[in-house]
Amino acid sequence: MKSVGLYIDFPFCIARCAFCAFHVEGFRSRWATQYIDALYKEIEHYAALSTLADYTIPSLYFGGGTPSLYAPEVLNDLISHCQTLFNVSHNAEITLEAHPATLNPENLSQLFKGGVNRLSIGVQSFSDPYLTLLGRNHTADQAKKAIHAARAAGFENIAIDLIFGLPEQNIHDWKNTLQEAISLSPEHLAIYALSIEQGTLFARKEKEGLLTLPSEDTSILCYNTGRSFLGAAGYEQYEISNFAKPGYACQHNRRYWDRAETLGFGLAAHSCFNGEARANTESIPDYIDALAAGKLPVIQLEKCDPLKSQVDHIIFGLRKTEGIPLELITQTPFLEKTSQYLIQQGWLQQTGQHLQLTPTGMLMADEVAMAYL
Amino acid sequence: METGIQQNNIRNFSIVAHIDHGKSTLADRLLEFSGAVTTRESKDQLLDDMDLERERGITIKAHAVRITYQAENGTRYTFHLIDTPGHVDFSYEVSRSLAACEGALLVVDASQGVEAQTIANAYLAIDAGLEIIPIINKIDLPSADVENTREQIEEILGLDASQAIPTSAKEGIGIREILEAIVKHVPPPSGDCNEPLQGLIIDSWFDNYQGAVILVKIVNGHLEKGTHIRLMSTQKNHEVLSLGVFCPKPTVLDRLSVGEVGYIIAGIRDVGDTKIGDTVTEVKRPALSPIPGYKEVKPMVFCGLYTIDTDRFEDLRDALEKLRLNDSSFQFEPETSLALGFGFRCGFLGLLHMEIIKERLEREYRLSLIGTAPTVVYHVTTVKGEVQKIDNPAQLPPVGQIVSFQEPFIKGVIISRSDFLGAILKLCQDRRGTQVDLKYLDAQRVMLTYELPLNEVVLDFYDRLKSVSKGYASFDYEVTGYQDADLVKVDLMLNGEVVDALSFITDRKKSYLRARQLAEKMKTIIPRQMFEVAIQAAIGAKIIARETVTALKKNVTAKCYGGDITRKRKLWEKQKEGKKRMKQVGRVEIPQEAFLAVLKVQE
């Protein structure tokens, strides 16, 4: 049987973070309730497709935005609705992205009972001044309490996100944050280099010269320190930014790099399903209106071109530490030639029947990708 | 066809004005009023028939339209409206068009008053001995000030403006008055129908089917189909195959006689042979001398043109050849640049002429071009005592062989609101200008005359002038000649290799500052590469500025899930496309805009 991962987007937050360029709205906006109705309509439309009968659902991912802003009943109802409509595997990975300030023993316990079995908590830093700078609306202490509460509620798969390369951040501060994170022994850790995206508060500050970002060398040092600290603590790196204890790699996210089929519901959600790539509107009212009018909120739809898919397989597959099977390139002279060039550059290496990024290559993954395009 | 037009009933005139003062709209109204075209036919601004002309609101080539006008005195008159190019680059062409006229309508915008081109064009018309009829246009605008404009015309131009006609070409006000004034004030053409033929070439252009079409004013004599003509500057003979006038559509006639303005087709292949200002005469009975005033026009501004896609070099050659068919004033010859490959060194009458040609190449021939910074022609005296004309900095002889430099100078007239005077004086000072005159036209307006090196003008002087005067200042210039100068060539090097297309010649005193600015600018333009890039500017072997682009060590997307995948892929595709368009110097990849950086470092 074929499988497809389901993603559901919740584009509402307490406030916009200083680094965030996603399409989010304040949770109190009038759209928060209508949005859930629209989601149901969209999910039901796809559930009615005969093609989906042949698929099992190994992963369900609630991302955003901040899905944990919704009451646990709302989220649990959605889970059970999906379980009714689709062939969700009994051991499916069901992830919820959560903001530390939204978590408490009560809702955690309810969510756990409702079927959420993986919690991805946006901690970002264990240093309060940085949390303020990032506009996170939570403290390091709140984050720790949330993690403890999740454990107490029964969660056995907890993921933490951290950001490095913050304005004025030095290596010592980053090491502290890493150690704090490791001491909480989450099953999964993602470490992301801060990138200044257009339209964010940080972008504006940078333009005005109000942001002192660490040098490229410091940022590289932070990344490499993260890799060695996490490695020493028993985490395996399985992707450029993702680390997990053995057996805890995120099944859902792996699908993106494997170019395995995924269906995305909600605002700006993307799908790669049944030979088609699809993207939803990035406007909340458009999304709600389209579904209320019985239409799909799709703004982009393309058939997947075989060569393009093959290249996507290579450039996104190489983000994983295991790399890509050699057979993806050996049939096509252009891809083979490019791979040879990248090996000469010291960015790729061949290990057994796989092609992988080298440690230097990990810092140059976008250059590698462009070489294949 | 109508024949037997009496010489006494012919009126030949042009319209001269500053840009945007309403010249083309007035021409349209005159044509409509006299019934030459209906309003419906008039595609707004009839005389400008190239797209570019319409968009830029300027007339690039001259035209002449015949209008028949039934005057209030009952007589039918034949008018020839001779349109002139409205820009300084084409002042020679303007002077030849004016030489074909007996009168000129001087159009002044009632809200703007007299501007720099008003003065330049009015003086050209006065010098040509024309009867000038001042027209105060745009009186429908709320900001129109007819009396003040009248005063300006009198004070600045020294013309009697008491009879100036208040007009709104847009609203059709004052059109009959203008036509009547032409009848009354513009004298009929002089000349003798029985004298040997003298035809003044006002313009010529290439027609795919007919070859060169010559626009001519018959100054003396007459000509017919079958007449054997001679072009006096080249002494080449041709037989007239067809002739006629524009009404405004081409209308074939049997004969063109003294005073008339029309076209001749004589099977001439090359517009290079039909030079503006030259005289057409009859082989059988040639004129004793040509009409005075003819001169060979020489390009003043040069730049290198290269295709971004090196495979399209031959396409560029074809396109240049086609454009030259219609414009013999522009020159090109192949050149090679280490950085840019094969291209052409092109010579233009001025900056606008250069921009127009570049734009037409890109638009009509779909070529993507890199143009190097424009330069003037320097005269360099070498130790051997020979004078070399240098139109490309890369061709400059080594420093040791140069005894002296000369560069072209212009006399420029600037008119502006006086609040910007300080900024304009500073700009002229920075551009090595020498003040010749400073005159207040009225309480708010000032006229400056400066002598400036042309090379300081070709590098964005006009843009800077507009910018420091918030768009108010107007500018016009004429080239006055060559003067001694203390100049040096600055080379730009990337990792030790000279980028020949970026070398520039500048005043020695400014060389350090400009070298530093260029190096700084290049640092922002050159993307980081896998290795460090040293940007150095040098005079000869002496490094005078240095910047470093550090090596790229990290380029990785941290978060890459769901929608990021599509977004990133698109971004990478775009970046890769950008890389393909870069030019390689040694191992260093440079984007195209780097070649324009020289232009943008001033101030």
Side-chain angles (χ1 to χ4, degrees), chain A residues 116-158:
Chain A
V116 177
N117 55 25
R118 184 172 182 272
L119 208 57
S120 173
I121 305 176
V123 173
Q124 319 307 1
S125 170
F126 281 105
S127 154
D128 285 341
Y130 284 117
L131 289 170
T132 310
L133 183 73
L134 291 167
R136 286 293 297 170
N137 285 296
H138 73 83
T139 61
D141 193 49
Q142 268 178 304
K144 286 182 216 164
K145 284 200 175 114
I147 293 161
H148 291 308
R151 283 273 181 249
F155 284 96
E156 289 172 357
N157 189 353
I158 297 175

Side-chain angles (χ1 to χ4, degrees), chain A residues 333-352:
Chain A
F334 159 69
L335 297 174
E336 190 144 29
K337 211 175 121 201
T338 306
S339 309
Q340 284 309 322
Y341 160 77
L342 293 168
I343 289 170
Q344 276 164 23
Q345 288 286 309
W347 294 342
L348 288 187
Q349 63 193 18
Q350 194 183 327
T351 310

